[in-house]
Amino acid sequence: MITLHLRFPEAERSHPILLTPGLLDRCGAALREAGLEGPIALVSDTTVAAYHGARVRRSLEEAGFPVLEILLPPGEKTKTMDTAAGLYRRLAQGGIGRDGLLIGLGGGVVLDLAGFVAATYMRGIALVSIPTTLLAMVDASIGGKTGVDLPEGKNLVGAFYPPRLLLIDPTALSTLPPAEWRNGMAEVVKAALIGDPELWARFREDPARWAAMPEMESLIDLLIRAIAVKVRIVERDPLETRGEREVLNLGHTFGHAFERISGYRVPHGEAVAAGMMAAAALSARRGLLKDPHLLQDLEGVLCGLGLPTRWRTWLAGYGIEATPEEVLAAMGTDKKRRSGRLRLILIHRPGQVRVHSDVPDEAVLQALEGTAGL
Ligand SMILES: NC(=O)c1ccc[n+]([C@@H]2O[C@H](COP(=O)([O-])OP(=O)(O)OC[C@H]3O[C@@H](n4cnc5c(N)ncnc54)[C@H](O)[C@@H]3O)[C@@H](O)[C@H]2O)c1
Ligand SMILES: [Zn+2]
């Protein structure tokens, strides 16, 4: 068993992160050891539940917890206020009171939604997160952000509400579709660039090795490293008030623009990959790169992982056309633009990224032109 900790300034928000193969089959005991009590509402989506629900339920019941299982349709469309409202009612009808415990078992959609419901139902009940996608293990489950989407935009309603316990079982990833592995790997590459030069070096040496899930030892190492990068940043800026969390947006200002232009038809991980490439090109143009091979290396890593590097070529594959000017305009609506200036996360070297708010639009356009492809 590997135990990491996420420490917030307020002790009651701090929590352990347990990571071990087979943890899904022992989650009931893990909850008991953490001193958590039931009754339990287990929230998942139908896909995840079909693969892993029975293991989790059995383990909880063996540990003596009464379990109310609530299953939702998979996908981002589920992450709404309407679904949250339905969940509140199911909890009330199921007799879950203030002493109840809500478990989110699934990808980022389930965890964000379950977390938001736990934060607000009866002004907050205990939450346990069990992520089952790579993205959720290294990103969505770390840092206490929960929320739902509105028709007006993603994640517009939410709360900072960390779980009491975060349980990560790498074997859950054995059923993950290859596209979801790639999606998560975009965020792992991001984490490596932000804060783990050694992990970056491993990707650079043999990118294709990471195109599909590696053997268990390497997988665990990858998870711990990526999680540790996010934990370190979140601990310094738990409520996103100090600006330090902003570096986690590497590739995302460009990426969100690509997603917006596509009407959210492209996968997030692909958008982040193409966005990191544009951010790296911009860093090179601004003379910031202390590693002259970085742009080429990044292209090699992303290609090896099966992720896009040339945004216009990639978007064309989805039947979407866009000019650099249109991408820039779509970046302008991003919340990362403050007082008229884009705030961009640029790379100096692997392990050193910085927020820049002095980049002229002309330079952004040139970087986009340089990484467009076609
Ligand atoms: N709270 C945060 O800090 C944070 C950070 C990043 C992303 N997010 C949110 O996370 C969401 C995306 O998360 P995601 O990529 O995990 O998407 P997701 O939850 O939609 O999961 C992707 C798909 O994989 C399926 N799946 C999940 N686990 C599986 C498994 N083990 N085997 C087989 N299939 C499985 C799901 O049913 C779903 O169809 C977005 O809503 C995003 O806003 C939140
Ligand atoms: Zn992301």
Side-chain angles (χ1 to χ4, degrees), residues 135 139 183 186-187 190 248-250 252 256 259 268-269 272:
L135 181 133
D139 195 351
N183 237 333
E187 303 285 1
K190 181 194 80 174
L248 293 167
N249 280 317
L250 174 63
H252 280 61
H256 287 151
E259 288 184 285
H268 177 70
V272 170

Side-chain angles (χ1 to χ4, degrees), residues 45 47-48 76 79 107-109 112 132-133 135 140 145 155 172 175:
D45 75 33
T47 305
V48 174
E76 188 72 29
K79 220 178 93 176
V109 164
D112 276 9
T132 62
T133 62
L135 181 133
K145 281 193 189 177
N155 301 317
T175 55

Side-chain angles (χ1 to χ4, degrees), residues 69-290:
E69 190 174 45
I70 305 175
L71 299 186
L72 305 166
E76 188 72 29
K77 284 192 182 69
T78 288
K79 220 178 93 176
T80 63
M81 287 300 281
D82 279 352
T83 316
L87 271 174
Y88 297 138
R89 298 194 57 199
R90 294 281 299 276
L91 296 177
Q93 289 156 9
I96 302 290
R98 278 208 51 81
D99 61 342
L101 172 68
L102 201 153
I103 299 182
L105 168 70
V109 164
V110 167
L111 298 192
D112 276 9
L113 177 72
F116 178 66
V117 166
T120 44
Y121 179 69
M122 297 199 167
R123 300 189 187 81
I125 63 170
L127 171 70
V128 169
S129 299
I130 312 184
T132 62
T133 62
L134 177 58
L135 181 133
M137 290 180 187
V138 301
D139 195 351
S141 68
I142 313 286
K145 281 193 189 177
T146 71
V148 295
D149 303 331
L150 294 182
E152 285 72 18
K154 282 186 65 176
N155 301 317
L156 288 186
V157 179
F160 282 98
Y161 198 70
R164 297 287 181 83
L165 190 60
L166 173 53
L167 301 178
I168 300 181
D169 182 348
T171 69
L173 299 179
S174 61
T175 55
L176 198 67
E180 295 300 340
W181 172 262
R182 282 197 296 277
N183 237 333
M185 277 306 290
E187 303 285 1
V188 177
V189 169
K190 181 194 80 174
L193 281 175
I194 292 174
D196 193 335
E198 207 179 307
L199 184 60
W200 169 252
R202 267 183 234 176
F203 292 155
R204 204 190 50 201
E205 276 154 26
D206 188 5
R209 177 169 164 229
W210 308 92
M213 201 173 92
E215 89 294 353
M216 191 49 73
E217 198 181 328
S218 304
L219 174 62
I220 291 175
D221 187 53
L222 171 140
L223 290 171
I224 292 173
R225 284 170 172 277
I227 290 166
V229 169
K230 186 156 182 192
V231 163
R232 277 203 303 275
I233 292 166
V234 167
E235 283 181 339
R236 289 202 298 265
D237 186 14
L239 298 176
E240 209 166 32
T241 47
R242 295 154 49 90
E244 296 194 37
R245 264 175 105 140
E246 236 178 319
V247 297
L248 293 167
N249 280 317
L250 174 63
H252 280 61
T253 312
F254 288 102
H256 287 151
F258 299 141
E259 288 184 285
R260 207 168 282 130
I261 285 172
S262 79
Y264 294 92
R265 283 197 289 132
V266 298
H268 177 70
E270 292 185 8
V272 170
M276 284 192 289
M277 213 35 216
L282 182 52
S283 311
R285 276 179 189 277
R286 305 289 291 160
L288 300 172
L289 282 187
K290 299 195 179 92

